[in-house]
Amino acid sequence: MRYTLSLVVALTVAAAGGARSQAPPPPVHLGEHRSFVIDNFRTESGVTLPKARIVYGTSGRLSAARDNVVLLPSHYMANHHGYDWLTGPGEALDTSTLFLVATELFGNGQSSSPSNTPEPFHGPRFPVTTIRDNVEAVHRLLTEDLHITHLRAVIGFSMGAQQAFQWAVSYPGFADRIVATAGTAKTWPHGVVRLEGQVAALTADPAFNGGDYTSPPRKGIEAYGMVWLGWLYSQEWWRREMWKARSPGNTLEQEIESRRRTFFADNDANDLILQARTWQRHDVGSTPGSNGELARALGSITVPVLYMPSETDLYFPIGDARFEASFIPRVSLVPIPSLWGHPAGAGGNPTDRAFLNATIGTFLAAAR
Protein backbone atom coordinates (compact mmCIF):
# COMPACT_ATOMS: atom_id res chain seq x y z
CA MET A 1 0.00 0.00 0.00
CA ARG A 2 1.22 3.53 -0.78
CA TYR A 3 -0.15 6.47 1.16
CA THR A 4 -1.21 9.70 -0.54
CA LEU A 5 -0.60 12.90 1.41
CA SER A 6 -4.33 13.39 1.93
CA LEU A 7 -4.63 9.89 3.35
CA VAL A 8 -1.72 10.54 5.73
CA VAL A 9 -3.49 13.63 7.08
CA ALA A 10 -6.81 11.80 7.44
CA LEU A 11 -5.20 8.88 9.22
CA THR A 12 -3.31 11.21 11.55
CA VAL A 13 -6.49 13.00 12.60
CA ALA A 14 -8.31 9.71 13.10
CA ALA A 15 -5.46 8.30 15.20
CA ALA A 16 -5.37 11.39 17.39
CA GLY A 17 -9.12 11.17 17.99
CA GLY A 18 -8.90 7.52 18.97
CA ALA A 19 -6.08 7.85 21.50
CA ARG A 20 -6.74 6.23 24.89
CA SER A 21 -5.15 6.98 28.23
CA GLN A 22 -3.12 4.21 29.80
CA ALA A 23 -1.75 3.60 33.28
CA PRO A 24 1.97 4.44 33.43
CA PRO A 25 4.21 1.38 33.21
CA PRO A 26 6.65 0.62 36.03
CA PRO A 27 9.91 2.60 36.10
CA VAL A 28 12.93 1.16 34.35
CA HIS A 29 16.16 0.64 36.21
CA LEU A 30 18.45 1.68 33.39
CA GLY A 31 20.74 4.66 33.05
CA GLU A 32 20.12 7.08 30.21
CA HIS A 33 23.60 6.52 28.77
CA ARG A 34 25.27 3.12 28.89
CA SER A 35 27.55 0.76 27.02
CA PHE A 36 27.62 -2.94 26.26
CA VAL A 37 30.84 -4.87 25.62
CA ILE A 38 31.05 -8.03 23.53
CA ASP A 39 34.12 -10.19 24.01
CA ASN A 40 35.81 -11.55 20.88
CA PHE A 41 33.39 -10.04 18.41
CA ARG A 42 34.02 -11.45 14.94
CA THR A 43 33.33 -8.98 12.14
CA GLU A 44 32.23 -9.88 8.63
CA SER A 45 35.72 -8.99 7.44
CA GLY A 46 37.04 -11.94 9.46
CA VAL A 47 38.81 -9.79 12.05
CA THR A 48 37.96 -10.44 15.70
CA LEU A 49 37.83 -7.46 18.06
CA PRO A 50 38.82 -8.54 21.60
CA LYS A 51 36.38 -5.99 23.05
CA ALA A 52 33.60 -4.52 20.91
CA ARG A 53 31.74 -1.72 22.66
CA ILE A 54 28.28 -0.44 21.75
CA VAL A 55 27.24 2.83 23.37
CA TYR A 56 23.53 3.50 23.67
CA GLY A 57 20.96 5.67 25.41
CA THR A 58 17.54 4.85 26.78
CA SER A 59 14.49 6.93 27.54
CA GLY A 60 11.01 6.17 28.80
CA ARG A 61 9.97 3.24 30.94
CA LEU A 62 10.25 -0.41 30.00
CA SER A 63 6.94 -2.18 30.53
CA ALA A 64 6.75 -5.23 32.75
CA ALA A 65 6.17 -7.37 29.66
CA ARG A 66 9.11 -5.65 27.86
CA ASP A 67 6.85 -5.13 24.88
CA ASN A 68 6.92 -1.33 24.40
CA VAL A 69 10.39 -0.97 22.90
CA VAL A 70 11.38 1.05 19.83
CA LEU A 71 14.94 0.82 18.49
CA LEU A 72 16.59 3.92 17.01
CA PRO A 73 19.90 3.04 15.31
CA SER A 74 22.14 6.05 14.77
CA HIS A 75 23.17 7.71 11.53
CA TYR A 76 26.53 9.00 10.30
CA MET A 77 28.77 10.15 13.21
CA ALA A 78 25.69 10.70 15.39
CA ASN A 79 25.20 9.88 19.04
CA HIS A 80 22.12 8.57 20.82
CA HIS A 81 20.47 12.00 20.73
CA GLY A 82 20.10 11.82 16.95
CA TYR A 83 16.35 11.21 17.18
CA ASP A 84 15.37 13.88 19.67
CA TRP A 85 13.29 15.47 16.88
CA LEU A 86 10.99 12.43 16.93
CA THR A 87 10.58 12.00 20.69
CA GLY A 88 8.63 13.70 23.42
CA PRO A 89 5.07 14.84 24.22
CA GLY A 90 3.03 15.32 21.07
CA GLU A 91 5.64 13.69 18.85
CA ALA A 92 5.53 10.26 17.19
CA LEU A 93 7.47 8.61 20.02
CA ASP A 94 5.91 9.47 23.36
CA THR A 95 8.22 8.32 26.14
CA SER A 96 5.32 8.23 28.59
CA THR A 97 4.25 5.00 26.88
CA LEU A 98 7.30 3.82 24.92
CA PHE A 99 10.77 2.69 25.90
CA LEU A 100 13.37 3.90 23.41
CA VAL A 101 16.78 2.38 22.83
CA ALA A 102 19.06 4.57 20.71
CA THR A 103 22.32 2.91 19.68
CA GLU A 104 25.55 4.37 18.28
CA LEU A 105 27.31 2.95 15.22
CA PHE A 106 30.81 1.55 15.36
CA GLY A 107 33.18 4.34 14.37
CA ASN A 108 31.40 7.34 15.89
CA GLY A 109 34.15 7.86 18.47
CA GLN A 110 32.09 6.49 21.39
CA SER A 111 31.24 2.94 20.33
CA SER A 112 34.31 0.95 19.26
CA SER A 113 36.14 3.10 16.75
CA PRO A 114 39.55 3.56 15.14
CA SER A 115 40.18 6.45 17.53
CA ASN A 116 39.45 4.63 20.81
CA THR A 117 40.58 1.04 20.15
CA PRO A 118 44.07 -0.01 21.29
CA GLU A 119 46.59 -1.70 19.06
CA PRO A 120 46.70 -3.83 17.05
CA PHE A 121 43.44 -2.25 15.81
CA HIS A 122 44.06 1.43 16.46
CA GLY A 123 43.59 4.04 13.74
CA PRO A 124 43.80 2.76 10.17
CA ARG A 125 44.19 -0.84 11.40
CA PHE A 126 40.62 -0.97 12.73
CA PRO A 127 38.60 -3.43 10.62
CA VAL A 128 35.92 -2.15 8.26
CA THR A 129 32.66 -2.93 10.02
CA THR A 130 29.46 -3.45 8.06
CA ILE A 131 25.85 -2.56 8.71
CA ARG A 132 25.28 -6.24 9.47
CA ASP A 133 28.09 -6.13 12.06
CA ASN A 134 26.29 -3.27 13.77
CA VAL A 135 22.93 -5.03 13.63
CA GLU A 136 24.42 -8.22 15.05
CA ALA A 137 26.06 -6.31 17.92
CA VAL A 138 22.84 -4.48 18.76
CA HIS A 139 20.84 -7.72 18.60
CA ARG A 140 23.16 -9.10 21.26
CA LEU A 141 22.82 -5.89 23.30
CA LEU A 142 19.03 -6.17 23.24
CA THR A 143 18.75 -9.88 23.94
CA GLU A 144 21.70 -10.39 26.31
CA ASP A 145 21.93 -7.10 28.21
CA LEU A 146 18.40 -5.70 28.17
CA HIS A 147 16.60 -9.07 27.78
CA ILE A 148 14.41 -7.67 25.02
CA THR A 149 13.30 -10.20 22.43
CA HIS A 150 10.79 -8.16 20.45
CA LEU A 151 10.44 -4.57 19.22
CA ARG A 152 7.45 -2.42 18.41
CA ALA A 153 9.50 -0.88 15.62
CA VAL A 154 12.92 -0.09 14.24
CA ILE A 155 13.07 3.52 13.05
CA GLY A 156 16.13 4.78 11.21
CA PHE A 157 17.33 7.85 9.34
CA SER A 158 20.13 7.64 6.71
CA MET A 159 22.60 4.99 7.91
CA GLY A 160 19.97 4.24 10.54
CA ALA A 161 17.58 3.44 7.68
CA GLN A 162 20.20 1.06 6.28
CA GLN A 163 20.20 -0.69 9.66
CA ALA A 164 16.39 -0.75 9.77
CA PHE A 165 16.24 -2.56 6.43
CA GLN A 166 18.93 -4.97 7.57
CA TRP A 167 16.97 -5.76 10.75
CA ALA A 168 13.95 -6.63 8.61
CA VAL A 169 16.02 -9.05 6.51
CA SER A 170 18.36 -10.52 9.14
CA TYR A 171 15.77 -10.87 11.92
CA PRO A 172 12.31 -11.26 10.32
CA GLY A 173 9.55 -10.61 12.79
CA PHE A 174 11.83 -9.29 15.55
CA ALA A 175 10.18 -5.90 15.02
CA ASP A 176 6.50 -5.34 14.27
CA ARG A 177 7.22 -2.42 11.92
CA ILE A 178 10.08 -0.78 10.05
CA VAL A 179 10.48 2.93 9.32
CA ALA A 180 13.23 4.16 6.99
CA THR A 181 13.70 7.86 6.30
CA ALA A 182 16.20 9.25 3.76
CA GLY A 183 18.12 6.00 3.42
CA THR A 184 18.13 2.92 1.17
CA ALA A 185 18.60 -0.81 1.54
CA LYS A 186 21.67 -0.69 -0.67
CA THR A 187 24.35 1.90 -1.38
CA TRP A 188 24.08 2.27 -5.13
CA PRO A 189 27.16 2.97 -7.33
CA HIS A 190 26.69 6.73 -7.48
CA GLY A 191 26.66 6.85 -3.68
CA VAL A 192 29.84 4.79 -3.56
CA VAL A 193 31.52 7.27 -5.91
CA ARG A 194 30.39 10.26 -3.84
CA LEU A 195 31.76 8.78 -0.64
CA GLU A 196 35.00 7.86 -2.36
CA GLY A 197 35.39 11.50 -3.39
CA GLN A 198 35.03 12.60 0.22
CA VAL A 199 37.61 10.08 1.42
CA ALA A 200 40.00 11.11 -1.35
CA ALA A 201 39.69 14.76 -0.28
CA LEU A 202 40.58 13.88 3.31
CA THR A 203 43.45 11.53 2.60
CA ALA A 204 45.08 13.99 0.16
CA ASP A 205 46.17 16.07 3.15
CA PRO A 206 49.86 15.16 3.75
CA ALA A 207 49.19 15.36 7.49
CA PHE A 208 46.91 12.33 7.16
CA ASN A 209 50.02 10.16 6.76
CA GLY A 210 48.17 6.99 5.83
CA GLY A 211 46.04 7.30 8.95
CA ASP A 212 48.97 7.41 11.36
CA TYR A 213 48.80 11.16 11.96
CA THR A 214 50.35 12.79 15.01
CA SER A 215 47.93 15.71 14.90
CA PRO A 216 44.52 15.97 13.22
CA PRO A 217 44.70 16.50 9.44
CA ARG A 218 42.60 19.67 9.62
CA LYS A 219 42.83 20.64 5.96
CA GLY A 220 41.76 17.15 4.92
CA ILE A 221 38.85 17.14 7.35
CA GLU A 222 37.72 20.55 6.07
CA ALA A 223 37.92 19.31 2.47
CA TYR A 224 35.91 16.24 3.46
CA GLY A 225 33.26 18.51 4.97
CA MET A 226 33.10 20.70 1.89
CA VAL A 227 32.41 17.70 -0.36
CA TRP A 228 29.77 16.59 2.16
CA LEU A 229 28.14 20.03 2.12
CA GLY A 230 27.89 20.10 -1.68
CA TRP A 231 25.57 17.07 -1.58
CA LEU A 232 23.75 17.75 1.67
CA TYR A 233 20.98 20.06 0.43
CA SER A 234 19.14 20.38 -2.85
CA GLN A 235 20.21 22.74 -5.60
CA GLU A 236 16.96 24.66 -5.10
CA TRP A 237 17.76 25.05 -1.39
CA TRP A 238 20.94 26.86 -2.34
CA ARG A 239 19.29 28.95 -5.07
CA ARG A 240 16.65 30.18 -2.64
CA GLU A 241 19.32 30.92 0.02
CA MET A 242 17.46 28.78 2.51
CA TRP A 243 20.45 28.69 4.87
CA LYS A 244 19.19 32.10 5.99
CA ALA A 245 16.42 30.39 7.95
CA ARG A 246 19.18 29.41 10.40
CA SER A 247 21.75 32.17 9.77
CA PRO A 248 19.78 35.20 8.57
CA GLY A 249 22.74 37.52 8.09
CA ASN A 250 25.07 35.11 6.30
CA THR A 251 26.12 35.64 2.72
CA LEU A 252 26.91 32.54 0.67
CA GLU A 253 30.63 33.07 1.29
CA GLN A 254 30.08 33.39 5.03
CA GLU A 255 27.91 30.28 5.11
CA ILE A 256 30.55 28.25 3.29
CA GLU A 257 33.31 29.47 5.60
CA SER A 258 31.22 28.79 8.69
CA ARG A 259 30.55 25.23 7.56
CA ARG A 260 34.19 24.73 6.62
CA ARG A 261 35.27 25.54 10.18
CA THR A 262 32.57 23.54 11.95
CA PHE A 263 31.75 20.49 9.81
CA PHE A 264 33.31 17.42 11.47
CA ALA A 265 35.70 19.68 13.43
CA ASP A 266 35.37 17.46 16.50
CA ASN A 267 35.60 14.13 14.68
CA ASP A 268 38.59 11.88 14.15
CA ALA A 269 39.69 11.42 10.53
CA ASN A 270 39.95 7.62 10.76
CA ASP A 271 36.50 7.48 12.35
CA LEU A 272 35.07 9.54 9.48
CA ILE A 273 36.57 7.14 6.95
CA LEU A 274 35.48 4.01 8.80
CA GLN A 275 31.82 5.01 8.78
CA ALA A 276 32.08 6.08 5.13
CA ARG A 277 33.34 2.56 4.31
CA THR A 278 30.50 1.03 6.32
CA TRP A 279 28.07 3.15 4.32
CA GLN A 280 29.67 2.26 0.98
CA ARG A 281 29.53 -1.50 1.50
CA HIS A 282 25.94 -1.82 2.56
CA ASP A 283 23.68 -4.12 0.55
CA VAL A 284 20.92 -6.23 2.10
CA GLY A 285 21.20 -8.44 -0.99
CA SER A 286 24.52 -9.76 0.34
CA THR A 287 22.84 -11.07 3.49
CA PRO A 288 23.51 -14.82 3.83
CA GLY A 289 20.64 -16.69 2.20
CA SER A 290 19.83 -13.94 -0.30
CA ASN A 291 22.32 -15.15 -2.93
CA GLY A 292 23.45 -11.59 -3.59
CA GLU A 293 19.98 -10.68 -4.88
CA LEU A 294 18.53 -7.42 -3.59
CA ALA A 295 15.03 -8.30 -4.83
CA ARG A 296 15.11 -11.59 -2.96
CA ALA A 297 16.26 -9.93 0.27
CA LEU A 298 13.66 -7.18 0.11
CA GLY A 299 10.97 -9.66 -0.92
CA SER A 300 11.65 -11.62 2.26
CA ILE A 301 10.53 -8.74 4.50
CA THR A 302 7.32 -9.83 6.21
CA VAL A 303 6.39 -6.80 8.30
CA PRO A 304 4.93 -3.44 7.21
CA VAL A 305 7.53 -0.91 6.08
CA LEU A 306 7.11 2.87 5.99
CA TYR A 307 9.63 4.09 3.42
CA MET A 308 10.11 7.88 3.44
CA PRO A 309 12.71 9.17 0.99
CA SER A 310 13.29 12.89 0.69
CA GLU A 311 12.13 14.14 -2.71
CA THR A 312 15.37 16.14 -3.10
CA ASP A 313 17.92 13.87 -1.41
CA LEU A 314 21.20 13.71 -3.33
CA TYR A 315 22.70 11.08 -0.99
CA PHE A 316 19.85 8.60 -1.32
CA PRO A 317 17.94 9.65 -4.48
CA ILE A 318 14.21 9.08 -4.55
CA GLY A 319 14.55 7.01 -7.74
CA ASP A 320 16.58 4.43 -5.84
CA ALA A 321 13.92 4.32 -3.14
CA ARG A 322 11.13 3.82 -5.66
CA PHE A 323 13.07 0.97 -7.27
CA GLU A 324 13.65 -0.76 -3.94
CA ALA A 325 10.07 -0.25 -2.78
CA SER A 326 8.84 -2.24 -5.78
CA PHE A 327 10.27 -5.41 -4.17
CA ILE A 328 8.96 -4.91 -0.62
CA PRO A 329 5.64 -6.71 -0.12
CA ARG A 330 4.03 -4.52 2.56
CA VAL A 331 5.54 -1.12 1.83
CA SER A 332 4.02 2.34 2.21
CA LEU A 333 6.14 4.69 0.12
CA VAL A 334 5.62 8.26 1.38
CA PRO A 335 8.13 10.77 -0.03
CA ILE A 336 8.95 13.82 2.09
CA PRO A 337 7.95 16.92 0.07
CA SER A 338 10.93 19.11 0.89
CA LEU A 339 13.69 21.22 -0.65
CA TRP A 340 15.99 20.44 2.27
CA GLY A 341 17.62 17.42 0.64
CA HIS A 342 19.02 14.78 2.96
CA PRO A 343 18.32 16.56 6.30
CA ALA A 344 14.60 16.46 5.51
CA GLY A 345 14.68 12.84 6.69
CA ALA A 346 15.71 13.94 10.18
CA GLY A 347 13.26 16.80 10.62
CA GLY A 348 15.84 19.38 9.59
CA ASN A 349 13.22 22.16 9.66
CA PRO A 350 9.84 22.62 11.37
CA THR A 351 7.73 21.69 8.33
CA ASP A 352 9.58 18.43 7.66
CA ARG A 353 9.65 17.61 11.36
CA ALA A 354 5.86 17.98 11.58
CA PHE A 355 5.31 15.87 8.46
CA LEU A 356 7.57 13.09 9.71
CA ASN A 357 6.06 12.99 13.18
CA ALA A 358 2.50 12.94 11.82
CA THR A 359 3.23 10.23 9.24
CA ILE A 360 5.33 8.02 11.50
CA GLY A 361 2.92 8.45 14.39
CA THR A 362 0.01 7.36 12.20
CA PHE A 363 1.95 4.37 10.89
CA LEU A 364 2.83 3.19 14.42
CA ALA A 365 -0.71 3.79 15.68
CA ALA A 366 -2.09 1.53 12.96
CA ALA A 367 -0.23 -1.39 14.53
CA ARG A 368 -2.21 -0.95 17.73
Side-chain angles (χ1 to χ4, degrees), residues 337-351:
S338 176
L339 296 178
W340 282 70
H342 189 59
N349 63 86
T351 300

Side-chain angles (χ1 to χ4, degrees), residues 76 198-199 201-202 220-228 264 272-273 276:
Y76 188 82
Q198 291 181 211
V199 172
L202 196 165
I221 291 174
E222 288 183 0
Y224 187 93
M226 283 297 96
V227 178
W228 182 275
F264 305 121
L272 291 169
I273 292 172

Side-chain angles (χ1 to χ4, degrees), residues 91-147:
E91 307 291 16
L93 302 179
D94 187 344
T95 52
S96 68
T97 58
L98 295 173
F99 181 64
L100 311 180
V101 180
T103 57
E104 302 185 8
L105 277 164
F106 289 134
N108 78 329
Q110 300 300 319
S111 292
S112 289
S113 306
S115 63
N116 63 16
T117 301
E119 297 292 8
F121 301 119
H122 187 69
R125 289 162 290 281
F126 192 90
V128 174
T129 47
T130 64
I131 291 295
R132 274 186 296 277
D133 286 330
N134 281 276
V135 168
E136 174 60 25
V138 172
H139 181 264
R140 293 187 60 178
L141 155 68
L142 292 174
T143 57
E144 297 175 16
D145 193 40
L146 300 180
H147 307 291

Side-chain angles (χ1 to χ4, degrees), residues 254-330:
Q254 289 170 329
E255 183 67 15
I256 291 172
E257 188 55 34
S258 173
R259 298 298 186 100
R260 187 193 310 276
R261 292 194 312 270
T262 58
F263 248 161
F264 305 121
D266 298 326
N267 296 121
D268 176 79
N270 283 315
D271 291 352
L272 291 169
I273 292 172
L274 183 278
Q275 286 205 351
R277 298 301 187 205
T278 301
W279 185 337
Q280 281 181 316
R281 297 187 182 192
H282 182 54
D283 179 2
V284 295
S286 59
T287 305
S290 296
N291 294 338
E293 300 172 18
L294 179 78
R296 180 170 181 172
L298 294 177
S300 72
I301 296 176
T302 59
V303 298
V305 175
L306 175 60
Y307 199 167
M308 298 187 71
S310 166
E311 288 185 344
T312 55
D313 197 341
L314 301 178
Y315 290 174
F316 297 99
I318 191 170
D320 292 343
R322 288 193 177 111
F323 176 75
E324 292 181 354
S326 68
F327 300 112
I328 303 173
R330 302 174 67 187

